Amino acid sequence: MRRLLTAAILACTFSAHAATQVAVDTSLGEFVVELNEEKAPISSKNFLRYVEDGSYVGTVFHRVIPGFMAQGGGFDAEFNRRPSYDPIKNESDNGLSNQRATLAMARTQVADSATRQFYINYQNNTFLDGQAGKVGYAVFGKVVKGFSVIEKMAQVPTTTVRSIGMKDVPQQPIVIKAIHILNK
């Protein structure tokens, strides 16, 4: 009986601390990301805010560079910029690294400028990590299922859209059709 009770307590403890997972259904298939809310609480909360308000639905992966990363979440298929909440504090000093299949916040040259855009690394891009005297790009999760969908994105031919000054734009829009939290 005591073993059973201990096992039940441990099961509840582990399930209470399960990492939040988010399913992302795109026009190329579905993938699942797992957030690291412990090491990247600000970035994770920010990402979840856009998931919960539904505003990632209809956005595209607007920048895909094979062997580097796929970036999305900020524009619709007509390249209209989606409204954003206020920029967040950069958490690139959280000990997480821009490794293959990790999810990180996109930002401008200003350190604390990330809003809604995120990217997924195709390879280890440790040069994007924060270092002494250099602010990096904050990793806050990783793709735990369906990385083959991310790899499919890299196979879509890209172009430059001169009217808006964007390079590496997939010629066939890669649209987020649905996004939802699997557990919370």
Side-chain angles (χ1 to χ4, degrees), residues 115-127:
T115 56
R116 63 180 299 130
Q117 291 185 39
F118 60 91
Y119 65 89
I120 301 166
N121 288 293
Y122 280 115
Q123 65 179 14
N124 296 344
N125 292 314
T126 56
F127 68 94

Side-chain angles (χ1 to χ4, degrees), residues 14 17-24 31-40 43-45 47-48 51 96 100-104 119-120 139-146 179-183:
F14 286 121
H17 297 292
T20 301
Q21 292 189 341
V22 176
V24 184
F31 62 93
V32 176
V33 298
E34 184 172 281
L35 306 183
N36 191 328
E37 294 166 286
E38 181 183 330
K39 290 190 174 182
S43 300
S44 296
K45 182 179 179 183
F47 179 77
L48 288 171
V51 171
L96 300 174
R100 176 177 167 80
T102 56
L103 188 70
Y119 65 89
I120 301 166
V139 173
F140 65 97
K142 64 183 174 181
V143 177
V144 294
K145 180 180 175 190
I179 187 168
H180 65 277
I181 299 169
L182 294 175
N183 61 335

